[in-house]
Amino acid sequence: MTNLKKGDKAPDFSGFDQDNKFHQLEDYKGKKLVVFFYPKANTPGCTAEACDLRDNYERFQANNYALLGVSADSEKAQLKFKEKFNFPFPLLADEDKSVIQAFGVWGPKKFMGKEYDGIHRTTFVIDENGIIVNVITDVKTKAHAAQILK
């Protein structure tokens, strides 16, 4: 779905999280950044994925990674999702889909025979200099941390 690949410069994104705090790529210079896009807060697959990342958060921190979740949910929905599952990382509320579009993860999907446009579950691993070092499109929701921290 996305045209971004390993070796590309990450899009210079910006947006607000569940607490109305502003985030942009520049904030993460000098750190590795995992940007994970998920279709909808509080749904089974998205919950499993985010909880797996939460449960491995110390491993990410020990390896100089920051995590940032992104979906088109509202700040209120992201806040409820974060509080319900005690996520230690921010969740961008990308209601205008500017970050989602910048990374190219919006497009046609199929579910139970119906076609619709939505977010393709995709994770980007970005190095300290803003270069994409991995794009994961075949996300294993219950073992996603292992896919990233190989």
Side-chain angles (χ1 to χ4, degrees):
M1 177 75 233
T2 183
N3 292 326
L4 294 172
K5 58 194 177 310
K6 190 175 173 175
D8 287 349
K9 184 153 180 32
D12 192 14
F13 70 88
S14 65
F16 291 90
D17 70 11
Q18 74 288 333
D19 297 319
N20 200 31
K21 183 176 180 285
F22 187 71
H23 294 263
Q24 59 188 0
L25 181 62
E26 182 68 24
D27 300 339
Y28 297 95
K29 206 162 191 64
K31 260 193 166 323
K32 294 180 247 179
L33 175 63
V34 174
V35 182
F36 66 100
F37 290 89
Y38 57 94
K40 190 150 182 57
N42 262 316
T43 55
C46 299
T47 300
E49 177 184 9
C51 286
D52 179 60
L53 296 175
R54 174 202 64 203
D55 295 347
N56 288 280
Y57 188 66
E58 285 180 11
R59 287 177 59 209
F60 282 106
Q61 284 192 304
N63 287 288
N64 197 33
Y65 281 98
L67 277 74
L68 188 59
V70 184
S71 75
D73 292 296
S74 68
E75 283 182 23
K76 187 176 171 189
Q78 297 289 45
L79 180 62
K80 278 173 127 167
F81 189 38
K82 182 176 175 166
E83 287 177 344
K84 183 176 180 182
F85 294 101
N86 202 23
F87 297 135
F89 43 79
L91 303 174
L92 284 191
D94 191 27
E95 289 183 274
D96 69 358
K97 300 181 188 71
S98 60
V99 180
I100 292 162
Q101 300 280 8
F103 279 84
V105 297
W106 182 264
K109 296 175 74 169
K110 250 192 182 145
F111 183 68
M112 295 177 69
K114 284 193 174 12
E115 273 204 36
Y116 62 98
D117 282 344
I119 297 171
H120 289 257
R121 188 184 309 278
T122 310
T123 297
F124 296 85
V125 182
I126 301 166
D127 74 8
E128 297 87 343
N129 301 308
I131 303 300
I132 296 170
V133 293
N134 197 2
V135 179
I136 303 168
T137 54
D138 183 23
V139 172
K140 309 274 183 260
T141 57
K142 290 183 173 84
H144 195 37
Q147 287 182 290
I148 299 164
L149 296 168
K150 308 190 217 62

